[in-house]
Amino acid sequence: GALSSQAGRSHLGVLLLICYVNGTRVSINLHIIGAAGAEFASVPAFEELLHLLPSLTTLQLSFVGLNVAEDHKDDTKTQNLYTPQCCTMCTKMGRSISIATWRGPYHAYVDTKFYRIPDLAAAFHSGFAVDEVADWSPTIKYLAYAPHPTLFTAARYFEIQGEMRVWKNLGARFVKNAEVNKWKGMSPSLGVCGDKPNEVSYRNYWWYIVKQR
């Protein structure tokens, strides 16, 4: 629907800047951490990366999180693989997208045989300093010293403030400091909690990038 499409465009926008920095890459490996419904619904939007980056022929997406849809035949020792059909032009040019899904926390995924260091990881609206703090804590500690940059987004400034306190305590450094994202979602929403109860926010309103070590 419209919300899923918009979420996809917003996710795509925050990834584009990083991909343009590596604009001559033939392949890009992206990990989506804490993946849930909105990310899966936006999968078709990721094909735009193939359209916008002429050199890119292979896009590898890994969706990892506790809310990843579970295949009851499988467990955390396996991952599910998908190859969505690209558009006619991309298919003719030999371009492809591969998708892997793994149910569980990211810090556990990195210890599996499936893990490959990504070019970029992203966690959209993780809320790790506000919601499910205990579940996120081991993953956040890992990402503070991960061998790849990790992009985070948030809708509300009070979330950003909480997240920055966590990163500071961990000694993390940043490729990009927290700022308003010009590719944020287009539909506003009115906040009902936090330091400003009537604050208007957008999907992926704020973003920042944790530096790799």
Side-chain angles (χ1 to χ4, degrees), residues 77-147:
K77 295 180 181 178
T78 65
Q79 69 175 348
N80 296 309
L81 301 174
Y82 307 92
T83 304
Q85 181 66 47
C86 291
C87 71
T88 302
M89 185 61 69
C90 283
T91 301
K92 285 183 178 179
M93 297 177 69
R95 294 173 165 178
S96 65
I97 298 175
S98 64
I99 298 172
T101 64
W102 192 86
R103 185 182 176 90
Y106 191 74
H107 65 275
Y109 177 67
V110 302
D111 290 328
T112 70
K113 63 182 179 181
F114 311 112
Y115 175 77
R116 300 291 183 274
I117 297 175
D119 299 302
L120 174 71
F124 300 105
H125 291 274
S126 69
F128 73 79
V130 179
D131 301 313
E132 301 173 339
V133 176
D135 288 338
W136 273 99
S137 181
T139 288
I140 296 303
K141 289 177 180 176
Y142 169 79
L143 293 173
Y145 297 93

Side-chain angles (χ1 to χ4, degrees), residues 120-192:
L120 174 71
F124 300 105
H125 291 274
S126 69
F128 73 79
V130 179
D131 301 313
E132 301 173 339
V133 176
D135 288 338
W136 273 99
S137 181
T139 288
I140 296 303
K141 289 177 180 176
Y142 169 79
L143 293 173
Y145 297 93
H148 56 79
T150 308
L151 183 151
F152 286 82
T153 70
R156 307 284 302 282
Y157 184 60
F158 83 92
E159 295 175 284
I160 290 292
Q161 289 176 307
E163 293 178 17
M164 289 301 110
R165 284 193 292 269
V166 173
W167 293 121
K168 182 178 180 180
N169 290 337
L170 292 171
R173 294 180 292 174
F174 299 91
V175 176
K176 175 179 284 295
N177 291 318
E179 66 179 26
V180 171
N181 168 26
K182 67 179 181 180
W183 292 299
K184 65 182 181 294
M186 298 174 64
S187 297
S189 61
L190 195 62
V192 294

